[in-house]
Amino acid sequence: MNIRKTIITIGVVVFAIFLAVLLSKYFVDRKEIPESREKEEAKLYVKASPVIYNVNYAGVSATGRLSSQHAVELSAEVAGQVLSGNILLKEGATFRKGDLLVQIFDDEARSNLKASKSRFLNGIAGILPDMKIDFPHSYTTWSDFFNAINISKPLPDLPQIDSDKEKVFLASRNILSDYYTIQSAEIRLEKYKIYAPFNGTFTNVMMEVGSVANPGSRIATMIKTDKLELEVPVKIDDIYWINVGDNVKASTKDGLYTWNGKVVRKSDYVDPNSQSITVFVALESTKSKPLYQGQYLKAVFAEQNLDESMEIPRNAIFNKEFVYTIDEGKLKKQRVNILKTNETSVLFSGLEPGTMIVVEPLVNAQEGTNAEILK
């Protein structure tokens, strides 16, 4: 009885499974198969412009710092107490060429010079009677020389010596040696007063009025302020556009004040940190537009125009010299001739006029990709 019941149960299960398979196949066959669609190719939408060559400005600009062409150490050449001149001996004091900057106490040196001239006069007076007898043709000349000597003024020029015999006579009386000794002392006396060699200012003062200076003592540091140099670091790529003697326009950051200058020299080495070469521009300060050491100015070099060139954004160039163009709706990689690289743009040539060139950077772009120009 149990066996029969078990067989009936198994038969019912098998029939149910068979019926489920048939129904499943029936519904699968009735399901509509969707139409297959072709895979769409990727397309980029890009900014592009036709290649049109024009005349473009190709200047080089950079910012530099002003420094003086002349920085001079004011030193004493003689010993003595430092006295005030016509200019205040303080940092920042300005002066004009020829102003008395510093004087050193010279009363003793001046008195010694007068004493030497008095002895020299005594020597000339001692030889005049002998010259009247032995050298009558020179007597009048030396007598006039004697009368022209003023102990408070520089010595007059030494009379011309006409013969070797006369030269021996004068040398034996120490006339020649005394004359040149006094002349040397006169030159030395001039060193007790120091005059400004140019228009400038004191940047550092080491000795105050009343100090005692020795030969070689540093008194102050001064700079020339009417002519300054603008030290401009220029990138290596741009240095070939700049030559010594080129005109330069310098201006303040806001552009309100401008100066005209010239390139006076270029350094012959590259700064390893900035990879730039320093260009020196001579500028002249005026009362209406003064210049100051340490001031920063913008310099524009090599102002010229490039014929048959086109300007595009710098980031449209990749691999230094390649751009993408659009040819029959696809991107095409092409090499261009870079004429000038600016801060944000480049000037180039080398493409056929009318070629559509991509003027923006493309990310993960490949040659042959479909491209459509944005309107």
Side-chain angles (χ1 to χ4, degrees):
M1 188 69 179
N2 290 336
I3 294 174
R4 183 179 178 187
K5 187 176 181 180
T6 299
I7 292 172
I8 292 172
T9 302
I10 292 172
V12 171
V13 171
V14 170
F15 178 76
I17 293 173
F18 177 73
L19 182 61
V21 170
L22 289 177
L23 291 174
S24 175
K25 188 174 185 306
Y26 172 76
F27 287 114
V28 169
D29 290 340
R30 286 181 57 87
K31 185 177 181 181
E32 294 183 357
I33 300 176
E35 296 181 359
S36 60
R37 296 182 180 178
E38 294 183 0
K39 185 178 180 180
E40 294 184 358
E41 295 186 12
K43 178 184 288 187
L44 292 177
Y45 293 88
V46 299
K47 294 179 181 179
S49 297
V51 173
I52 301 175
Y53 292 129
N54 294 304
V55 177
N56 286 284
Y57 172 75
V60 176
S61 62
T63 300
R65 187 173 65 89
L66 280 171
S67 64
S68 176
Q69 294 183 18
H70 299 280
V72 177
E73 292 288 344
L74 187 64
S75 301
E77 295 185 72
V78 294
Q81 186 181 27
V82 176
L83 305 177
S84 60
N86 298 333
I87 303 300
L88 183 67
L89 191 58
K90 295 290 184 180
E91 292 182 14
T94 60
F95 49 82
R96 305 291 296 177
K97 182 177 181 180
D99 287 343
L100 178 61
L101 301 178
V102 174
Q103 55 183 339
I104 296 175
F105 185 75
D106 63 352
D107 287 1
E108 182 179 359
R110 194 174 296 278
S111 297
N112 289 335
L113 180 59
K114 289 181 177 180
S116 297
K117 288 181 179 180
S118 296
R119 288 191 295 269
F120 183 66
L121 277 172
N122 187 48
I124 297 294
I127 67 169
L128 284 177
D130 293 334
M131 292 199 74
K132 189 173 184 179
I133 297 172
D134 298 332
F135 308 98
H137 59 283
S138 299
Y139 172 77
T140 303
T141 302
W142 282 93
S143 178
D144 292 340
F145 175 71
F146 173 82
N147 294 325
I149 295 176
N150 186 332
I151 61 174
S152 299
K153 296 181 180 180
L155 286 178
D157 293 337
L158 193 69
Q160 184 177 353
I161 301 173
D162 296 329
S163 65
D164 292 340
K165 184 178 179 181
E166 184 180 348
K167 184 188 295 184
V168 172
F169 172 74
L170 294 171
S172 65
R173 302 298 180 91
N174 293 325
I175 299 300
L176 300 180
S177 63
D178 289 346
Y179 176 84
Y180 290 112
T181 299
I182 293 173
Q183 198 173 58
S184 175
E186 288 178 340
I187 295 173
R188 186 170 181 81
L189 185 63
E190 294 177 356
K191 297 179 180 180
Y192 283 81
K193 292 184 178 180
I194 304 176
Y195 295 91
F198 45 69
N199 300 337
T201 185
F202 291 123
T203 58
N204 191 18
V205 175
M206 283 73 80
M207 299 188 74
E208 299 288 340
V209 173
S211 304
V212 176
N214 294 311
S217 297
R218 296 171 60 203
I219 299 175
T221 301
M222 55 186 182
I223 60 170
K224 190 173 185 179
T225 54
D226 55 350
K227 290 185 179 180
L228 300 174
E229 286 184 344
L230 187 64
E231 301 179 10
V232 187
V234 177
K235 295 178 181 179
I236 298 178
D237 293 340
D238 293 333
I239 199 65
Y240 303 103
W241 293 79
I242 302 172
N243 298 303
V244 174
D246 286 350
N247 293 325
V248 180
K249 286 186 178 179
S251 63
T252 53
K253 185 177 180 181
D254 54 15
L256 293 179
Y257 298 95
T258 60
W259 295 262
N260 294 321
K262 281 193 175 183
V263 177
V264 291
R265 64 186 184 278
K266 299 189 297 184
S267 61
D268 57 357
Y269 62 90
V270 177
D271 186 325
N273 297 321
S274 62
Q275 286 296 295
S276 62
I277 293 176
T278 303
V279 177
F280 297 87
V281 180
L283 297 174
E284 188 167 348
S285 180
T286 61
K287 288 185 178 180
S288 59
K289 293 188 294 185
L291 294 168
Y292 303 97
Q293 176 162 300
Q295 182 180 6
Y296 282 88
L297 297 175
K298 180 182 179 181
V300 178
F301 302 90
E303 290 188 302
Q304 56 183 292
N305 294 320
L306 287 178
D307 298 332
E308 297 296 317
S309 62
M310 180 176 177
E311 185 174 18
I312 60 172
R314 186 172 178 175
N315 56 15
I317 303 289
F318 63 95
N319 294 341
K320 296 183 179 180
E321 56 181 353
F322 289 94
V323 295
Y324 280 119
T325 60
I326 300 177
D327 185 17
E328 297 182 353
K330 294 183 180 297
L331 292 180
K332 184 178 180 181
K333 178 181 176 183
Q334 288 190 262
R335 180 184 280 109
V336 294
N337 180 26
I338 303 297
L339 302 175
K340 175 75 174 59
T341 301
N342 299 320
E343 187 174 352
T344 60
S345 64
V346 296
L347 297 175
F348 76 94
S349 63
L351 294 179
E352 288 293 327
T355 303
M356 297 302 296
I357 182 173
V358 177
V359 293
E360 66 174 337
L362 300 181
V363 180
N364 298 326
Q366 294 183 350
E367 189 174 20
T369 303
N370 290 330
E372 185 176 332
I373 300 173
L374 290 173
K375 302 297 184 181

